[in-house]
């Protein structure tokens, strides 16, 4: 990755984060914390990694992404909007009664959303079904599933992991957002899912650990995924992140899991992100 | 009835999958370690590369089926009714029903006639659970012929379908010329004193009950309601208007199944006294299927008795 490419991704990530704030502020509810922790992953996926075309969102040969931690729809929607799947201005209508931007991802109303999700623990199974389907049909399609570290407390995740290894789904990339916080508090205290790396390894995955806010680390991690094609094993990329990343008063604060910024907080957050973007643009 | 041909509708399911599989390359079958009970092993023998065993993990299986369907395949996800509609209810509701995906759920071992396995495996709630999901089609065949035609109809329609099959071998009442359409009931016998609307393996019993009732001077119009949802409301109303009394029969709790679906239609459009015959808010227990059905009033004699009492005769 060149310096210019890295900077472009970092600048885009600030726009994705601005969209998260705009969407949740407009909704007066929603989930900014986990949207911001995964914003760099969303940006990397939609602006560098996935083979997709906003002009043809239903292309049968496109790569797929299943947002298993569906409550972070503001992050996914913002990435899709900034990628050109629908107007960025529409993000402010999130969760409104007449909006197509449903509170959790809806594949039938939102262009670019590959699967309706929201009920935790199910997305990895769907992604495995997609990956199995792609292999059955002989299609060169990669499937990405983004999971939360609280979400992996759901037993179905491990049913899906077992299935994925059993059926040798090396076209499946599992991404776990290790932001360390869930609604009731730190994941280590609510229900300790650690060691996540050993669990996925024991279930038959190639495990890669990366800094989820470092684009060089993400590039290296996804390169491992591509190198694993042909190995007959799925890849699990565990990304270490900071919940609320990029907005000072949200960073590391469990209270911002599912709360929208008020007008004042919104203005402050947008100013911080604009300043970060300006700094990147002049560098 | 001794010389009547009997086939379990689960057997019909397996054979229909194999027949359809030979024609449709996009048909795939999933199972959860029950292939020789659900009879998907018949399909598996013919098309091993299109049969995906998911192990004992029904929730995962339903969502894998959802994923397969988004790739353009037509998955039939198979397990016992208890696990398909019960354990995996939320997967079916949120990940198949809500996005309205083209997944077919082949649920075998519905009802009390599971027999010796007992209450844990006797699913009498699946109609109720599946009916509540918007856009879900719910089918239950009366015999082998209807079961095989239902599998084809389910494949040919776009959208989620729940099919309930049974373990017990039961009489074949149709010949191959029978024409099944989703959403359409079938009038099997004409009569003007009472309409008996039945589904699944209760249909042959209702036909036999009608013969017993006829001997008592009661004319019964027997309706085979193979589609639980969308219900053939026109036929329900027509039967009620003609007979003035309606009996429903199902191998299912009287809460939320065919009986209450019929009651709902009639309450809104044609208020008519209804007697619901089914499982009365209790769990089943172990025993031979036939003896269990008799004990619970779910055979021809039981239907006759309840109908006569309902009519005050």
């Amino acid at each position: 990755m060149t310096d210019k490419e890295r900077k472009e991704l970092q600048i885009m990530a600030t726009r994705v984060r601005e969209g998260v704030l705009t969407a949740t502020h407009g909704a007066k509810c929603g989930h900014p914390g986990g949207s911001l922790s995964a914003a760099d992953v969303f940006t990397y996926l939609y602006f560098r990694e996935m083979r997709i075309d906003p002009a043809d969102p239903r292309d049968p040969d496109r790569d797929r992404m299943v947002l298993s931690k569906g409550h972070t729809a503001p992050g996914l929607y913002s990435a899709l909007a900034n990628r050109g799947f629908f107007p960025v201005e529409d993000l402010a209508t999130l969760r409104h009664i007449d909006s197509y931007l449903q509170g959790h991802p809806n594949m039938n109303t939102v262009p670019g959303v590959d699967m309706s999700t929201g009920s935790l623990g199910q997305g990895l199974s769907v992604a495995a079904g997609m990956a199995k389907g792609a292999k059955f049909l002989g299609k060169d399609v990669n499937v990405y599933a983004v999971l939360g570290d609280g979400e992996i407390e759901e037993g179905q995740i491990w049913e899906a992991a077992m299935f994925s290894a059993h059926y040798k789904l090396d076209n499946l990339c599992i991404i776990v957002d290790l932001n360390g916080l869930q609604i009731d508090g730190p994941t280590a205290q609510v229900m300790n899912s650690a060691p996540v790396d050993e669990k996925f390894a024991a279930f038959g995955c190639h495990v890669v650990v990366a800094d989820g806010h470092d684009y060089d680390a993400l590039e290296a991690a996804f390169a491992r995924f591509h190198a694993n094609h042909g190995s007959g094993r799925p890849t699990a990329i565990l990304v270490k992140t900071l919940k609320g990343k990029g907005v000072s008063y949200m960073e590391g604060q469990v209270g911002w899991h599912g709360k929208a910024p008020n007008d004042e907080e919104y203005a402050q957050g947008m100013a911080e992100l604009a300043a970060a973007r300006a700094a990147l643009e002049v560098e | 009835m001794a010389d009547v041909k009997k086939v379990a509708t689960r057997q019909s399911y397996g054979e229909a999958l194999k027949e359809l599989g030979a024609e449709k390359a996009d048909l795939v079958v999933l199972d959860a370690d029950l292939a020789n009970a659900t009879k998907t092993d018949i399909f598996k023998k013919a098309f091993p590369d299109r049969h995906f065993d998911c192990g004992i993990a029904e929730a995962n299986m339903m969502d894998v089926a959802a994923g397969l369907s988004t790739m353009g395949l037509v998955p039939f996800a198979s397990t016992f009714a208890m696990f398909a509609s019960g354990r995996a209810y939320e997967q079916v509701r949120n990940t198949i029903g809500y996005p309205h995906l083209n997944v077919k759920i082949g649920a075998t071992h519905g009802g009390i006639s599971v027999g010796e396995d007992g209450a844990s495996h006797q699913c009498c709630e699946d109609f109720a659970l599946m009916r509540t999901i918007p856009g879900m089609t719910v089918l239950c065949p009366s015999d082998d012929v209807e079961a095989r035609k239902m599998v084809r109809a389910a494949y040919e329609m776009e959208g989620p379908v729940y099919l309930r099959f049974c373990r017990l071998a039961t009489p074949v009442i149709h010949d191959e010329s029978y024409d099944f359409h989703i959403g359409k009931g079938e009038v099997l016998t004409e009569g003007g004193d009472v309409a008996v609307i039945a589904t699944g393996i209760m249909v042959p019993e209702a036909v036999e009950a009608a013969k017993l009732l006829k001997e008592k001077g009661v004319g019964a119009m027997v309706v085979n309601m193979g589609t639980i949802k969308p219900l053939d409301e026109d036929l329900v109303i027509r039967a009620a208007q003609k007979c003035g009394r309606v009996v429903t029969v199902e191998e299912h709790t009287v809460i939320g199944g065919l009986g209450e679906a019929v009651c709902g239609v009639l309450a809104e459009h044609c208020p008519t006294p209804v007697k619901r015959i089914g499982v009365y808010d209790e769990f089943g227990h172990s025993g031979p299927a036939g003896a269990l059905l008799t004990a619970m009033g779910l055979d021809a004699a039981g239907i006759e008795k309840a109908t006569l009492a309902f009519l005050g005769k």
Side-chain angles (χ1 to χ4, degrees), chain B residues 95-155:
Chain B
T95 305
I96 295 172
Y98 176 46
H100 200 71
L101 293 176
N102 196 29
V103 174
K104 318 304 170 184
I105 300 165
T108 66
H109 295 62
I112 286 294
S113 59
V114 165
E116 289 83 350
D117 274 352
S120 61
H121 286 58
Q122 292 164 336
C123 183
C124 296
E125 304 88 4
D126 50 340
F127 296 161
L129 290 163
M130 292 295 111
R131 276 181 68 218
T132 61
I133 299 172
M136 179 66 75
T137 293
V138 182
L139 306 177
C140 182
S142 58
D143 72 351
D144 168 58
V145 173
E146 190 171 47
R148 286 185 280 108
K149 293 189 183 258
M150 275 181 180
V151 173
R152 184 173 289 272
Y155 173 89

Side-chain angles (χ1 to χ4, degrees), chain A residues 182-249:
Chain A
Q182 58 189 115
I183 296 177
D184 282 353
T187 299
Q189 291 175 19
V190 176
M191 182 49 63
N192 191 7
S193 52
V196 179
D197 53 351
E198 291 178 21
K199 287 190 174 74
F200 277 100
F203 276 80
C205 296
H206 290 287
V207 176
V208 184
V209 181
D211 179 339
H213 303 306
D214 178 334
Y215 286 95
D216 294 303
L218 289 173
E219 182 178 51
F222 284 102
R224 292 276 301 280
F225 166 55
H226 292 286
N228 289 338
H229 279 69
S231 71
R233 292 166 67 191
T235 299
I237 300 178
L238 313 182
V239 292
K240 294 187 172 173
T241 64
L242 178 61
K243 201 153 182 173
K245 171 75 174 176
V247 178
S248 62
Y249 57 87

Side-chain angles (χ1 to χ4, degrees), chain A residues 64 66 124-144 163-164 167-173 225 234, chain B residues 64 67-68 70-71 73:
Chain A
R64 266 58 166 196
V66 179
L124 184 56
S125 300
V126 178
M130 291 173 170
K132 174 70 178 156
K135 281 195 173 285
F136 175 78
L137 293 165
K139 285 178 182 284
D140 175 24
V141 168
N142 290 324
V143 183
Y144 303 84
F163 177 95
S164 302
Y167 282 105
K168 306 185 187 320
L169 303 180
D170 53 17
N171 55 342
L172 174 64
C173 185
F225 166 55
Chain B
V64 166
L68 288 165
T70 70
M71 301 302 289
L73 298 167

Side-chain angles (χ1 to χ4, degrees), chain B residues 205-222:
Chain B
E205 298 298 328
V207 171
E208 290 303 307
K211 292 176 186 167
L212 299 173
L213 288 166
K214 194 170 185 181
E215 290 169 11
K216 302 266 169 65
V218 174
M221 173 184 182
V222 175

Side-chain angles (χ1 to χ4, degrees), chain A residues 64 102 105-108 114-116 119 122 125-126 128-130 132-134 136-137 139 141 156 159-160 163 167, chain B residues 25 28 49-50 52-54 57-60 63-64 66-68 70-71 73 90-91 94-95 98-101:
Chain A
R64 266 58 166 196
Q102 293 297 295
N106 184 314
M107 65 187 287
N108 293 319
D114 292 320
M115 186 63 211
S116 300
S119 174
Q122 299 191 38
S125 300
V126 178
M130 291 173 170
K132 174 70 178 156
F136 175 78
L137 293 165
K139 285 178 182 284
V141 168
Q156 190 182 335
E159 294 182 5
F163 177 95
Y167 282 105
Chain B
V28 295
D49 61 330
R50 285 200 268 156
F52 312 144
D53 206 316
C54 298
E58 298 82 6
N60 179 62
D63 287 349
V64 166
L68 288 165
T70 70
M71 301 302 289
L73 298 167
E90 205 243 274
Q91 283 72 20
N94 269 329
T95 305
Y98 176 46
H100 200 71
L101 293 176

